[in-house]
Amino acid sequence: MTAAAGTGGVELAGVHARYEDVDVLLGVDLSVAPGELLVVLGPSGAGKSTLLRVIAGLEPAVRGQVRIAGRDVTRLRPGRRDVSMVFQSYALFPHLTVADNIAFGLTVRDTPKGEIGERVRRAAEAVGCAALLGRRPAQLSGGERQRVALARALVREPDVFLLDEPLSNLDAELRVETRAELRALHDRVGATMLHVTHDQTEALVLGDRVAVLREGRVEQLGTPEEIWRTPATVFVARFVGSPSMNLLPADGPLPVPGIAAKPDLLIGVRPEAVRLGDPTQAGPGHADAAATGVVQRVEMVGEDAYVYLRLDGHVIAARVPYASRPDVGAETPLVVRPEDVHLFDAKTERRAATP
Ligand code: ADP
């Protein structure tokens, strides 16, 4: 691929979109740097696909502005925007060979014949499907179809790639493998990419930055580390991480040394940070603060176990080594260190400063 591919950034300012009378995007501001891989993460129905379609020009922005490579494209037709979109369904033409599928976008743009063959070959090589050029989609596995769809996007050498859940049709093992390949491909071609997913692991692994989308608004934009370590809202805190972050009222059943038991605060603790067993092991101050939970359920996840404990009407998840899991029904002290606590305002559900 040429180094010129994907050198433009994307900017959205106050973008609104709607289908008939339903508002789907409610003022999205987003800036994707040239060459950045930005993951748009959110639950189903959040507006992720719509966001990509607005950037591609397949849906109009009813308000706001879309800029690609510094150019206002808000009113431009899709064909004039210099973006390539890869759909979840791949949308390959069944009656065309892989080579003709990849070439399609060039053929309809009247690219000279001699040039097409060479560009198709390079794109196919970039995604590792050069050996498949003579086949038809029906003769390909899901992973191979996915590569062809990527090659078809790559061959046009656009400013921006828009990827709509491109890994979701792959089985778990292939998804992990293809995820790594996609990242390597991005780094090789230096392209600007927006990648949509509902899978929080995929978002953290793949993105330079992650935009968490909720009900048509960007809830948080940050590096994977920022999203993980300092979730801006209760929604982000719960959406990223599995099992989800535990959230309890600060004046509830899990006292943490140094954290005020105020009713207007929520305490968030990741399952990885809940310690089970002898509270004095956790350091000074913990002996008094320990709470006792009753083990409801234990799930084996390889070397670790997810342990769910009932604590005064709340269920707390803890992730512990499987070898040291407590038995179901056991009463177990649990402690949390103050440095592992996330605090949120109970009313606004926004992050509050830790004391
Ligand atoms: P996501 O990609 O995050 O799952 P979408 O952008 O596909 O979300 O959809 C956002 C909302 O818009 C959903 O409530 C969905 O039902 C609605 N929607 C999507 N496409 C259409 C359409 N063509 N007509 C009407 N409503 C739509």
Side-chain angles (χ1 to χ4, degrees):
M1 298 278 85
T2 63
T7 45
V10 178
E11 277 149 56
L12 305 182
V15 166
H16 286 247
R18 67 159 60 106
Y19 296 106
E20 280 138 39
D21 52 357
V22 185
D23 290 313
V24 176
L25 298 179
L26 298 145
V28 172
D29 297 309
L30 199 59
S31 182
V32 190
E36 182 175 29
L37 199 172
L38 183 112
V39 175
V40 180
L41 171 70
S44 176
K48 305 182 297 296
S49 290
T50 305
L51 184 67
L52 289 195
R53 295 175 64 82
V54 166
I55 297 171
L58 301 172
E59 297 291 339
V62 291
R63 264 162 64 193
Q65 199 187 51
V66 180
R67 283 193 297 276
I68 296 175
R71 188 168 66 125
D72 182 354
V73 299
T74 319
R75 312 259 167 266
L76 284 190
R77 287 188 286 112
R80 310 212 30 217
R81 294 197 181 196
D82 210 10
V83 302
S84 274
M85 190 149 164
V86 177
F87 298 92
Q88 181 178 347
S89 61
Y90 313 144
L92 299 178
F93 298 108
H95 58 288
L96 297 183
T97 62
V98 166
D100 289 341
N101 263 288
I102 297 175
F104 188 77
L106 298 177
T107 318
V108 296
R109 279 175 185 75
D110 292 333
T111 311
K113 269 238 164 57
E115 194 185 322
I116 292 179
E118 173 59 17
R119 281 172 69 173
V120 166
R121 194 184 55 74
R122 271 187 298 160
E125 269 170 12
V127 301
C129 67
L132 309 173
L133 289 171
R135 294 203 203 164
R136 284 176 210 284
Q139 300 166 304
L140 303 176
S141 71
E144 288 165 345
R145 278 177 213 172
Q146 200 270 348
R147 284 159 198 258
V148 174
L150 269 177
R152 189 176 50 177
L154 266 179
V155 77
R156 295 193 19 225
E157 300 174 6
D159 275 327
V160 176
F161 291 90
L162 305 172
L163 308 169
D164 192 1
E165 304 249 7
L167 306 180
S168 61
N169 285 337
L170 306 180
D171 61 37
E173 195 182 339
L174 195 57
R175 194 156 63 228
V176 170
E177 202 180 298
T178 315
R179 186 170 79 194
E181 283 174 10
L182 190 60
R183 178 71 225 192
L185 177 70
H186 166 268
D187 296 347
R188 215 160 50 237
V189 302
T192 308
M193 288 186 177
L194 274 94
H195 176 108
V196 155
T197 182
H198 63 272
D199 178 334
Q200 43 105 14
T201 309
E202 190 174 308
L204 297 184
V205 170
L206 203 52
D208 292 318
R209 289 188 304 160
V210 177
V212 182
L213 198 67
R214 178 198 189 187
E215 293 174 3
R217 291 192 174 87
V218 176
E219 184 98 351
Q220 184 172 5
L221 172 65
T223 62
E225 187 172 339
E226 285 163 353
I227 299 281
W228 179 260
R229 290 190 187 277
T230 52
T233 63
V234 166
F235 177 82
V236 176
R238 289 193 57 82
F239 193 70
V240 179
S242 178
S244 280
M245 185 186 285
N246 299 293
L247 284 153
L248 299 158
D251 62 346
L254 185 64
V256 180
I259 306 276
K262 292 191 194 152
D264 55 351
L265 281 182
L266 291 175
I267 288 181
V269 190
R270 294 211 183 274
E272 294 83 348
V274 177
R275 295 157 178 238
L276 304 182
D278 183 359
T280 57
Q281 301 286 319
H286 284 282
D288 309 334
T292 301
V294 178
V295 178
Q296 303 280 295
R297 195 168 90 239
V298 176
E299 293 170 352
M300 195 267 203
V301 283
E303 291 300 314
D304 284 349
Y306 299 154
V307 181
Y308 299 89
L309 304 107
R310 184 160 285 281
L311 188 64
D312 271 10
H314 295 272
V315 175
I316 311 259
R319 180 172 188 150
V320 300
Y322 189 72
S324 61
R325 73 199 180 279
D327 293 329
V328 171
E331 284 200 9
T332 308
L334 50 160
V335 282
V336 170
R337 300 181 310 170
E339 59 266 40
D340 292 331
V341 164
H342 301 260
L343 283 182
F344 299 96
D345 183 304
K347 269 211 192 68
T348 63
E349 301 206 336
R350 301 202 66 82
R351 189 173 190 85
T354 350

